[in-house]
Amino acid sequence: MHHLSYLVSHYGYFGIIVALIGGIIGLPIPDEVLLTYVGYNVFQGKMAFLPSVASALFGACCGITLSFLLGIKLGVPFLNKYGPKLHISEAKVARTRKLFDKFGPFLLLIGFFIPGVRHITAYLAGINSYSYKKFSLFAYTGAIIWCTIFITLGRALGENWIDFRFYFSKYSIYLVLIFVLGCVIFYNFWRKRKMQKVF
């Protein structure tokens, strides 16, 4: 936490960008805690809300785009060789690949809310030769929702933002399951509507 507060307090919006690029690529940075802490800084008046969200969005989009490009250029061998150094284990890759096969590009959207998954989805999109248009539609939409929610949460919690770390670590799996369930329901509804239009 000390490193995150140093980044934000000394480098401001630029610090947010750098931290999120690293976090999305796979460095061990607690992204949700960082975003909530940024929201707390907004609550304190040390940062402005819109520039904070814009900086977070820029960092998240740069990070996930870089992962996507690495997936295109370097493919599976890159993940196998450098994945463990980025805390991306073979088990995580296998689990995410199964989800990716099932939900496809939709996982790019909801993957931001699943720790350990958001780091891999863009690599897999690149490896699977997704078009940039298809990738960006889902990935950037997910980034917008993710950044806005957690920064807003930090601002809303104010002085109690620190409690977020405890509750998130304890209940994050339930929150993620609820969110993913909601997204799956929406995805199935959207797919059925799309199929009805085709026929």
Side-chain angles (χ1 to χ4, degrees):
M1 187 58 228
H2 173 71
H3 299 298
L4 296 181
S5 61
Y6 179 84
L7 260 176
V8 173
S9 60
H10 284 75
Y11 298 101
Y13 302 113
F14 180 70
I16 298 172
I17 294 170
V18 171
L20 282 175
I21 290 175
I24 296 296
I25 290 174
L27 296 179
I29 296 173
D31 300 317
E32 286 89 358
V33 175
L34 168 67
L35 291 172
T36 311
Y37 179 68
V38 169
Y40 172 60
N41 277 264
V42 172
F43 166 78
Q44 288 186 310
K46 295 179 180 178
M47 301 181 113
F49 180 73
L50 288 179
S52 295
V53 172
S55 299
L57 178 59
F58 183 72
C61 288
C62 285
I64 203 163
T65 302
L66 181 56
S67 298
F68 174 67
L69 294 175
L70 288 172
I72 291 174
K73 298 293 182 183
L74 304 177
V76 176
F78 174 82
L79 271 183
N80 292 337
K81 186 174 182 180
Y82 295 102
K85 296 178 182 178
L86 295 172
H87 299 272
I88 299 174
S89 65
E90 288 185 20
K92 284 183 180 178
V93 173
R95 186 169 63 248
T96 305
R97 186 180 284 278
K98 286 181 182 178
L99 289 170
F100 205 85
D101 290 341
K102 188 171 184 179
F103 297 110
F106 196 66
L107 191 63
L108 287 165
L109 193 153
I110 65 173
F112 278 97
F113 293 86
I114 311 174
V117 170
R118 64 172 162 267
H119 310 304
I120 307 170
T121 52
Y123 289 115
L124 293 179
I127 290 168
N128 286 309
S129 301
Y130 274 33
S131 68
Y132 177 74
K133 182 179 180 181
K134 187 177 185 180
F135 160 79
S136 61
L137 173 64
F138 288 91
Y140 296 166
T141 300
I144 291 170
I145 297 169
W146 182 63
C147 294
T148 304
I149 284 177
F150 281 99
I151 291 177
T152 303
L153 180 63
R155 184 178 67 170
L157 289 173
E159 297 294 343
N160 297 316
W161 86 272
I162 202 72
D163 295 335
F164 164 80
R165 286 192 297 171
F166 168 75
Y167 289 114
F168 187 76
S169 62
K170 189 173 182 180
Y171 301 110
S172 60
I173 186 64
Y174 303 110
L175 294 173
V176 166
L177 287 173
I178 291 169
F179 179 80
V180 171
L181 180 61
C183 288
V184 168
I185 292 170
F186 173 78
Y187 173 73
N188 287 330
F189 174 77
W190 171 77
R191 191 171 62 175
K192 286 178 181 176
R193 286 289 299 273
K194 191 175 181 181
M195 291 295 290
Q196 287 173 354
K197 288 181 179 179
V198 171
F199 295 103

